[in-house]
Amino acid sequence: MKSLWNDADAKKYANDPVALRAYTSRLLGQEPSLVQHGGGNTSVKASRTNLFGEPEELLYVKGSGWDLATIEPQGFAPVKMEILLRMAQLEHLSDTDMVREQKAAMTNPSAPNPSVEAIMHAIIPFKFVEHTHSDAVVTLTNTPKGKEFAREVFGPNALLVDYVMPGFVLARRIYELTRDADWTKLETIVLLNHGIFTFHDDAKIAYEKMIELVTKAEKFLISKGAEGALKSKPDSTPTSLEMATLRNALGKQMGKPLLLRLNNSEEAVGFSKWEIANAVTDKGTVTPDHVIHVKPRPLFVNGDFEKDVMAFSDDYKKYFDRHKKEGHSILDTCPRWVVWPGKGCLSIATTAKGVRIIDDIITHTRRCLQWGEKLGGWKPVSEADLFDVEYWELEQAKLKVGGGSKPMLQGQVAVVTGGASGIGKAIAEALKAQGAAVAVLDMNPEVEALFKGDQTLGVTCNVTDEKSIADAIHKTALKFGGVDILITNAGTFPPGKKIEEISEKEWTTAVDINLSGHWRTLKAAIPLLKQGFSPSVIIVGSKNVPAPGPGASAYSTSKAGLTQLGRVAALELAPYGVRVNTIHPDAVFDTGIWSEEVIANRAKHYGLTVEQYKTKNLLKAEITSKNVADLVLSMVGPAFARTTGAQIPIDGGNDRVI
C-alpha cells in the first residue's frame, strides 16, 4: 500500500470535516484491493447547530449506493449520534427495525440511507473511522490459522472479532467487547473473514493507519509465499456461437436476457486450469457480502451448456433447501460467474455495470483463493453463514418491494451498422438509453472512440469484407455474449446520374454496400440471433423502394433488392422466433449526406424555402434521425412482438408511396 495523501489537496477541505471525509474516502476507494464497488465504509463525527440553535452531534456515514472511489459530501448520511448510541445498548433489534430507526434519526431525509454499520461507527469514539475489506486482511483470516495470523500481523493492540453476521448483531457484539475498553490502547479492529477498521481524530492519521496495517498484512502474505497468481495462455477462444449458446442457456435459467463477458487474461485462464479450482471455489466467497453479487460458487462448464446450467440450478435449490427458514423466498438459480477450463472466466449480469462489478469481484476472488491455499488452505465462513447473508432480511425485503421499472431493453444486445453518424448513431444512442448493450460498426475508425465503455463497443468494420464483419460480430459476442437486435443501416448514396451515365464501379459499389453488405451482416449474425432473446432485425431501406425517382437507379435498385432480402429473411427466420422488418425513411436532413449547401440548392431547385423543402410531405413535418430512432425502438420492443415482414415508411406521408 502507498499513501495517496496530499497535504495541498487536503488543505482545501480543512474547514469542512465532511468534505475532508469525502476526500480521504476517495483515497481509499482508488485502491481496488481495499474496497470493491460499494464495499467498505467511512464516517466522520461532527457537531452541527439544529433548527432551534442547539448543538447536535451527528455521524456522517457513507450512504447506501455510493462508491468510496467517487463519493462526494452529499453521499454521507447525517444521523443523530444519540440515537445510534442508544440503539447499541439494546439487547435485541431486527435489522429491518434498525434500518428504519436509522433513517428516522437522519437530519436530512433526502440523504442516502445510512450504512448498516452506522452503529459500529458511532460506537468507536474517534472522529474519523475507516473500514475496508482489504484483500490481504480477508485472505489471511480466511485460513485455518486466521486468528493466529491476525494476532501475529497486527499485534496486541488489535481487537480481533470472530465472524458475526453484519448488521445489528455485529454492532451489538462490538459494543459488548469495547464497553469497558481503553480505546487509547486500541489500534485497530479486525473482523475475521470480513475486514478491518482504523480510527483517529486526525483524518490523515486514520487514513494512513489503514495503509500501514494493510501493508503489514501484504508483507506477511509475501513472506509466506502467497503472492501473484497462476497465469496461462488460452487453449482457444470461444466462438461467437459458443458464447451465444451459453448465454441462451443462462438466460433461460434467469428468465430474462442477460449479458455475458469473457475474461481470457492470463490470470483468468490460469485460474480456469487450476486443478483444484472447483474444490476451492466450492468452499465460499472472499467476504460474505460478495455472495449477494456472485452466489456461493461459480458454474464450471464442460461443453453441454444446458446440462451444466441445469446441474448448477439443481445444486442451488438443494443449498436453499438445506438452510431455508420460514418466510424465505428462493432467488433465481442462475450463476453469476463461469469458469471455462482453458478459455477463462465469464461474468454474468443483466446490466453492463453489473458485469463489470462481477468481473472485478471475481478478479480479486481468484487471487485471494490462491493466496489462501498457500497459507494452509482456503477456509472462509460456513455455507450457512453465506446463506444468512444472501437471504438477509434486508435483501428479502427488496424482493417484496420490487426493483422498480427497468429499461425496456435491459440485458439485450444490439448491433448497429453504419452507426458513427446520422441515423445509425441516433439509433445506437436510443438503444443504449433503453438499456441495451450496443455494438456499433462503421468504416470510420472514430466509431471506436464514440462508443466505448461498459455498455457500448465501437468497431471499425467494412461491410464489403466478410471477415471484417465476422470479426466485429465475434468481438460483440466476447464482450456481451450474443446478439438479440440487428440494425442493418450501413449504406451509400451515389451521385445522381442517369442509367446510361453510371459507371460499372459506381453501380457495383452501390450494390455491394446497400445490398450485399446487409446480406453479409445478416449471414454472420443469424446463428447468434437464433440464440437471442426476443430477436429482431430492422433493415433500413428507403422511400425510393416504393417511390423511386430518376437519376438514382443504382441506389433505388440496391435498396429494392435489400427490401426483398428482408422479406425472404422474415420467411426463413420466423420458425426461430426472429422478426425481420424494414423501415423506409425519406428526407432525413440531419445526416452526413445533407450539408446546408446541398439542402439550400435542392430547395432552390423546387422553388421552395429551406423550411418548406424540409417539410415537403403530407404532414408538413420535418423528419429527423431521432424520429427514425424512436420508430426503431418501437419495432424492436413488445409493441411489434407479433409483427414480421412489415415495411414501415417514415417520411411524413408521401402521396406517391400512399
Side-chain angles (χ1 to χ4, degrees), residues 144-388:
K145 294 183 177 181
K147 199 166 188 177
E148 179 184 326
F149 288 156
R151 182 61 68 199
E152 180 180 346
V153 172
F154 302 114
N157 294 330
L159 173 63
L160 306 183
V161 183
D162 290 327
Y163 176 76
V164 179
M165 172 87 174
F168 179 76
V169 174
L170 176 57
R172 176 67 188 181
R173 179 65 175 149
I174 297 297
Y175 173 75
E176 292 171 344
L177 291 173
T178 61
R179 187 161 30 188
D180 301 317
D182 182 354
W183 283 92
T184 63
K185 295 181 180 178
L186 200 58
E187 187 177 40
T188 182
I189 298 175
V190 177
L191 307 178
L192 303 182
N193 313 102
H194 181 148
I196 181 171
F197 280 84
T198 60
F199 30 80
H200 202 275
D201 288 331
D202 183 281
K204 182 177 182 180
I205 295 174
Y207 163 73
E208 292 195 332
K209 179 60 68 174
M210 178 65 70
I211 301 303
E212 174 192 339
L213 294 181
V214 173
T215 297
K216 285 184 177 182
E218 290 177 330
K219 289 181 176 179
F220 177 81
L221 294 182
I222 293 170
S223 73
K224 298 293 185 179
E227 58 179 319
L230 293 170
K231 293 184 179 182
S232 178
K233 300 282 188 182
D235 293 344
S236 62
T237 301
T239 66
S240 301
L241 185 56
E242 284 177 324
M243 289 290 294
T245 305
L246 175 56
R247 174 176 177 257
N248 179 276
L250 291 164
K252 285 179 179 176
Q253 192 61 52
M254 179 80 84
K256 63 183 73 172
L258 46 76
L259 305 179
L260 181 64
R261 183 172 304 170
L262 174 71
N263 183 335
N264 61 353
S265 65
E266 291 189 2
E267 277 196 12
V269 175
F271 183 85
S272 77
K273 293 182 177 182
W274 191 24
E275 61 275 7
I276 60 172
N278 202 331
V280 177
T281 54
D282 200 49
K283 296 178 181 179
T285 58
V286 174
T287 66
D289 61 298
H290 282 179
V291 74
I292 296 170
H293 293 287
V294 298
K295 297 285 190 183
R297 54 188 62 86
L299 164 68
F300 283 74
V301 294
N302 298 305
D304 188 336
F305 301 140
E306 292 275 0
K307 182 178 178 181
D308 293 337
V309 172
M310 187 58 67
F312 181 95
S313 175
D314 290 342
D315 286 344
Y316 186 87
K317 290 173 183 175
K318 293 174 184 176
Y319 153 79
F320 177 79
D321 289 338
R322 284 195 296 273
H323 304 290
K324 67 181 178 182
K325 299 180 180 65
E326 185 178 351
H328 280 157
S329 299
I330 191 169
L331 303 172
D332 71 84
T333 61
C334 183
R336 294 300 188 271
W337 65 295
V338 174
V339 180
W340 197 338
K343 297 183 188 292
C345 299
L346 302 101
S347 306
I348 306 162
T350 56
T351 67
K353 180 182 178 182
V355 169
R356 172 171 53 82
I357 289 173
I358 290 173
D359 183 61
D360 284 353
I361 288 175
I362 64 177
T363 294
H364 291 268
T365 297
R366 292 192 300 265
R367 296 170 187 168
C368 290
L369 266 57
Q370 292 176 71
W371 297 344
E373 280 299 301
K374 292 179 180 179
L375 287 175
W378 182 250
K379 189 181 179 183
V381 299
S382 69
E383 183 182 85
D385 287 325
L386 279 183
F387 182 90
D388 286 343

Side-chain angles (χ1 to χ4, degrees), residues 78-138:
V79 191
K80 296 177 182 178
M81 279 285 293
E82 177 189 3
I83 302 298
L84 292 172
L85 293 175
R86 289 183 67 184
M87 289 169 67
Q89 297 171 31
L90 297 173
E91 290 191 11
H92 303 287
L93 184 67
S94 73
D95 287 331
T96 300
D97 289 341
M98 177 191 72
V99 168
R100 185 189 64 244
E101 294 304 318
Q102 286 183 173
K103 289 172 67 175
M106 290 169 57
T107 59
N108 179 4
S110 63
N113 291 339
S115 162
V116 294
E117 293 171 341
I119 296 175
M120 285 183 58
H121 285 253
I123 292 169
I124 299 173
F126 292 93
K127 187 172 184 177
F128 292 91
V129 178
E130 330 285 293
H131 171 44
T132 73
H133 301 159
S134 155
D135 285 354
V137 174
V138 175

